[in-house]
Amino acid sequence: MATIIGRQQETELLKTIYRRDEAQLVAVYGRRRVGKTFLIRETFGNEFTFYHTGISPVGMKNTNLLALQLQAFGVSLERYGSFHSEPPKDWFAAFDYLRELLEQRSSIEKLVVFIDEMPWLDTPRSQFVSAFEFFWNSWGAGQHNLMLIVCGSATAWIKNKLINAYGGLYNRITAEVQLCPFTLRETEELLTQHGIHASRYDIAELYMAVGGIPYYLNYVAAGMSIAQNIDNLFFSKKAPLKDEFDRLFHSLFSQPENYKAVVRLLSTKHIGFSREEISVNTHIPTGAGLTQILRALEQSDFIESYHPFGENKRVCLYRLIDPFCRFYLQHIEGKKRDEHYWQNNQNLPALNSWRSIAFEEICLVHIAQIKRALGIEGVATEQSAWAMRGTDAQSGMQIDLILSRQDRVVNVCEMKFVSDEFTVTQTYDATLRQRRTCITEQIPKKYSVQMTLVTTFGVKYGTYSSAFQRVITLNDLFV
C-alpha cells in the first residue's frame, strides 16, 4: 500500500477499515479531479476482487444510458471471472451476478470491491438505488470479509442517496472519506515531486488559477515559469483546461446550466448574494429546486454559505470559493486571448484586481493555517464576514474574514497579495481605524478587536505599521 502526497489521513483510514473483520460499506467523495480514484487505486495497489467505473453521461443525450451502463457492468463482471456472457437485463440481475462472482471467491481472506463514479450508474427510472440496497441488505452486509468502496464526484448524490439516505440504506454506510483539494503545502509537495521548484509567491498564483486540484496540477511542466504554465493550461491552442468548466458541470449535474448560472452570478460579487438575490438574477424560482442547487454546489466545494457579521443568523449569503471557476469566468469565458496572454499581461490592472480577490479566497480555504499562525488552533472560532453592502458590485465597505473567538477576541483580517512587504499608508490607516470602530460597535464590550494582516511578505516598518496587531505571511499559509 503506497503513501500518497497529502492523503496520509485518508490512506490510514482506508487501511484501518480494510483490517476490520466485518462488512464495510465505504463512501469516498469529493470534487471532480480531486484524486479519489487515484487514492483508492494506490492504497490497494489495484488489487480488487471486482472493479467497475460508471460511464460518463456527457455527450450521451440520445443514448440509452441504462443499457450502456448495464453492458459495461457486464463486461467488468466477465473480466473478473463471471460466467455470464450476456449483459444483465437490469440492476437487480447485475448485482445478483456480482454476488455470484464474489461467492466464487469467498475463500479469499478479504474481498475488496470498488465501484467508481457510482452516481453515473443511477440513470433515470433505472431502479439502481433499489437494486443496490437489496444487494447490500440481503447479502453484502452479512459478509465479514467484504469491503465495498463506492466513489463519486457528484457529492450531492453520494450524500443524499447513501450517507444521509432514508429507507433501506439508512445508516448502512460504515465509513465516509471526503477528499478535499490540496492545501498550498500539499501543492508545493506535488510540484516538487514533479521536479518543479517555484517560489511560494508563484505557487500561490498558480493556486489562484487552478486551486488545489491534483489533476490540474499534474499538467504543470518543469522547466517553464508559472506564467508559461498558465498560458499552456488555459490559453494555448491545445490548452487542456480550456473547456474544463463545461465538462466539469455537465459531468456532475443533470441540469448543469442552472448550476453554472448560479456560479456565474456569484463570480461577479466577492461578498456574495442572498438566496433571494440569486433567484431574481438567475430566474430560478426560490423553492426546492434552488435549495438543491445551492446545497449541491456547497457540498461540491464550489461555493460556501455564511452569516454576515453582526446580522441576524437567518441572514445567509452565498459566495464563490472555487479558484478554477473564478479564473475561468473572469479570464476565459467569452473572451479571445492570444497564446501568451498571461506572460504578456502580468501588470494589467484587471489581473492585479483578480489576484487581490483570489488571494482572499486562498485565505478562506486556509483558515486552519491562519488559526495556527495566531496560536488559536484549540479555540472555538466562528468564521464570518462583515457585509455592509452597497447597491452594486463595487460599493459598500466590507471585510472578507472575521474570526470571532470564544476567548473574547475578534480578529479582523485584511488580506493583501503584493510583491514586496506591504506598506500601511496614512489613508489606509484611517480606513482601518474606521473599520475597527464599526466592528467594535457591533460586539459585546468584553470583547477586544485585533486588526490582523494576512499578506505575502509581511509589513514594512513605518509610521503606521503598528495598525496591525498580528501579521501572517504567505509562509504561514504553507504550514
Side-chain angles (χ1 to χ4, degrees), residues 81-329:
S82 175
F83 55 81
H84 293 279
S85 58
E86 295 294 322
K89 67 180 187 302
D90 56 35
W91 282 114
F92 283 93
F95 281 111
D96 199 48
Y97 292 175
L98 177 58
R99 175 189 59 78
E100 292 175 351
L101 174 66
L102 297 176
E103 284 181 338
Q104 293 171 25
R105 306 189 175 190
S106 58
S107 60
I108 298 177
E109 182 179 350
K110 198 72 175 183
L111 303 172
V112 180
V113 176
F114 177 26
I115 302 179
D116 198 5
E117 293 299 354
M118 180 178 268
W120 288 347
L121 303 178
D122 186 24
T123 55
R125 298 177 295 280
S126 67
Q127 295 186 304
F128 173 82
V129 174
S130 297
F132 178 71
E133 171 191 315
F134 181 76
F135 164 78
W136 183 256
N137 289 337
S138 66
W139 185 81
Q143 311 307 307
H144 70 90
N145 63 336
L146 174 61
M147 180 179 183
L148 199 165
I149 306 168
V150 299
C151 181
S153 302
T155 302
W157 190 96
I158 296 287
K159 288 272 192 179
N160 298 333
K161 298 293 182 72
L162 298 179
I163 296 173
N164 300 323
Y166 295 99
L169 285 175
Y170 175 73
N171 209 29
R172 292 295 186 267
I173 296 293
T174 57
E176 57 181 284
V177 179
Q178 180 180 12
L179 229 58
C180 297
F182 278 175
T183 62
L184 283 168
R185 179 182 61 80
E186 292 162 347
T187 298
E188 183 179 49
E189 289 178 5
L190 181 65
L191 294 176
T192 301
Q193 186 184 74
H194 292 174
I196 300 163
H197 302 282
S199 70
R200 288 183 166 178
Y201 182 90
D202 281 343
I203 292 173
E205 179 160 308
L206 175 66
Y207 198 97
M208 294 175 191
V210 300
I213 307 300
Y215 179 84
Y216 302 160
L217 292 168
N218 282 331
Y219 279 113
V220 179
M224 296 192 300
S225 69
I226 292 301
Q228 287 175 312
N229 270 292
I230 290 176
D231 276 330
N232 285 344
L233 289 171
F234 293 99
F235 303 105
S236 66
K237 289 181 179 179
K238 296 183 179 180
L241 303 185
K242 185 183 297 183
D243 301 316
E244 174 67 8
F245 183 78
D246 286 329
R247 288 197 300 260
L248 182 62
F249 282 85
H250 281 265
S251 68
L252 292 178
F253 308 115
S254 58
Q255 294 181 311
E257 295 308 321
N258 283 339
Y259 292 85
K260 288 192 288 184
V262 172
V263 170
R264 284 192 184 98
L265 174 67
L266 297 187
S267 72
T268 65
K269 191 193 298 186
H270 184 44
I271 199 169
F273 292 83
S274 68
R275 178 192 178 93
E276 292 72 23
E277 290 170 331
I278 293 171
S279 177
V280 168
N281 285 278
T282 62
H283 307 292
I284 302 172
T286 179
L290 182 56
T291 298
Q292 177 182 334
I293 291 169
L294 294 173
R295 182 182 297 126
L297 288 171
E298 191 162 11
Q299 289 173 339
S300 299
D301 294 324
F302 290 114
I303 70 173
E304 73 168 3
S305 60
Y306 72 96
H307 302 291
F309 185 83
E311 294 195 31
N312 191 296
K313 291 296 183 183
R314 288 175 295 186
V315 178
C316 180
L317 297 181
Y318 296 86
R319 60 182 172 188
L320 179 65
I321 59 169
D322 182 73
F324 168 79
C325 288
R326 181 174 296 282
F327 183 89
Y328 179 89
L329 292 170

Side-chain angles (χ1 to χ4, degrees), residues 1-3 10-19 43-44:
M1 295 182 178
T3 300
E10 293 85 354
T11 301
E12 286 304 314
L13 176 57
L14 288 172
K15 291 178 181 179
T16 299
I17 296 167
Y18 176 85
R19 291 190 289 265
T43 300
F44 294 100

